[in-house]
Amino acid sequence: MSATELAASQAAPPAVDTVAELARLRAELDRLDDVMHDTLMQRAAVVGGVAALGAQGKVAFRPGREADILRRLFARHHGALPPRLLVRLWREIFAATTAMQGPYIITVCETAPAGSPFVQCAREHFGALTPLRVHRSPSQAIAEVSAGRATAAVLPMPDEQESQAQAWWLALLHRDEPRIHIVARLPFWAPRSEGAPQVQALVVAAASPDASSRDRTLIGLELPLEMSRARLSTAVAASGLTPGDTILRRDVGAERAHALVEVEGYVTEGDARLAGIAELLRPPVVLGAYAVPAEGESP
């Protein structure tokens, strides 16, 4: 062997046995799959313990708690795995473990039959196996929740241009029993991937919303017909609340105007700031709250 060949053989790394290395990596993946499976079974057992300690008859659906779990996972996440995958994985886990604690059925108001975007949005959030019932009007979807036949209803985001019949939030002002509250906003993750449903929706349930680490509250108001949007915003801000998106309706033939005001934070009906909103015809009604959706990297 020449001196050149000897030097080359000493510098070259030993040949990798590709077949053996591939077998080793696959064995490691199998081991990790088993660990993940064991952990999921352990988690399900803990959920069973939580359910056993919880009050009977309470709704197991906890969107605020679910949002905070995802936020905590986002904060600790690193590596090449896309964070948005965490949403898909844990949404399925949440759906399965909630169903373990009792009947779990979601109703959906689908206002756009072409492509069924609200059904897609609900399926994405509530899991592939959760039963969905589809209705064409928001009142039908809410009625299922009121009657106890569904856990929650997915409804189109309120819009100032919609008809009075489509403005489902007006019915929540009456405080009928059981009280229906807004408890979540969909989708929870943005930006949206290509082909994902682009609609925005709110979720209502026959339970009060549970607070998360970052929320917005929706308040319903009855106002004099002549009250302007600017005057309303000033009145809300003067009470100590921070107003955001606002819908102001003056329906034909109505004796009063109605407003849906989004404010920062988690606000309950006992909050003293509500009493400070001036010029109202009736006390404000807290229609519910939702965990602010998370935003991550572009798809």
Side-chain angles (χ1 to χ4, degrees):
M1 178 182 295
S2 67
T4 302
E5 293 173 330
L6 178 60
S9 65
Q10 291 174 342
V16 175
D17 185 338
T18 303
V19 174
E21 178 63 8
L22 185 58
R24 184 191 70 79
L25 291 174
R26 284 174 172 166
E28 178 65 4
L29 288 174
D30 288 343
R31 184 190 70 80
L32 292 172
D33 285 342
D34 289 347
V35 170
M36 292 166 63
H37 187 201
D38 288 342
T39 302
L40 286 173
M41 291 188 289
Q42 292 167 15
R43 191 185 193 284
V46 173
V47 168
V50 170
L53 292 173
Q56 292 295 318
K58 284 195 173 182
V59 178
F61 178 40
R62 295 287 305 280
R65 163 75 174 151
E66 293 170 359
D68 275 345
I69 290 173
L70 286 171
R71 289 169 178 156
R72 181 178 61 80
L73 294 176
F74 294 153
R76 70 189 298 275
H77 188 70
H78 61 86
L81 191 70
R84 63 183 179 274
L85 180 61
L86 300 180
V87 181
R88 296 300 311 121
L89 291 173
W90 261 263
R91 288 302 331 158
E92 293 292 342
I93 292 170
F94 294 151
T97 52
T98 300
M100 286 170 49
Q101 301 173 64
Y104 190 42
I105 297 171
I106 305 299
T107 62
V108 184
C109 175
E110 183 55 81
T111 59
S116 302
F118 286 97
V119 171
Q120 290 185 55
C121 189
R123 182 63 72 200
E124 177 186 278
H125 190 81
F126 290 105
L129 302 180
T130 300
L132 297 184
R133 294 176 184 162
V134 182
H135 296 281
R136 296 304 179 195
S137 75
S139 60
Q140 290 174 316
I142 293 174
E144 294 259 34
V145 177
S146 296
R149 295 189 295 268
T151 306
V154 176
L155 307 171
M157 182 69 66
D159 186 293
E160 199 158 282
Q161 303 307 314
E162 65 193 355
S163 69
Q164 190 170 2
Q166 293 172 317
W168 54 265
W169 57 273
L170 292 172
L172 274 55
L173 290 169
H174 303 312
R175 294 189 174 98
D176 295 332
E177 291 296 334
R179 280 291 301 275
I180 303 297
H181 287 95
I182 296 163
V183 297
R185 179 171 179 167
L186 309 184
F188 186 71
W189 179 261
R192 310 297 292 147
S193 302
E194 183 179 355
Q198 302 298 315
V199 295
Q200 298 282 317
L202 292 174
V203 180
V204 301
S208 298
D210 57 320
S212 77
S213 57
R214 187 185 174 203
D215 297 302
R216 292 186 186 130
T217 299
L218 291 160
I219 300 171
L221 306 170
E222 290 193 359
L223 319 165
L225 280 173
E226 67 275 8
M227 193 160 187
S228 68
R229 188 185 305 274
R231 210 162 109 203
L232 171 60
S233 181
T234 299
V236 173
S239 73
L241 296 165
T242 304
D245 293 339
T246 297
I247 289 176
L248 182 58
R249 297 186 62 91
R250 297 185 183 89
D251 292 308
V252 176
E255 297 179 352
R256 59 195 65 190
H258 295 91
L260 178 64
V261 181
E262 184 180 83
V263 299
E264 290 292 330
Y266 183 83
V267 180
T268 64
E269 288 194 335
D271 195 304
R273 294 173 293 178
L274 294 174
I277 303 177
E279 303 182 74
L280 302 184
L281 297 179
R282 291 179 57 190
V285 179
V286 174
L287 303 186
Y290 65 81
V292 177
E295 293 190 4
E297 88 289 356
S298 297

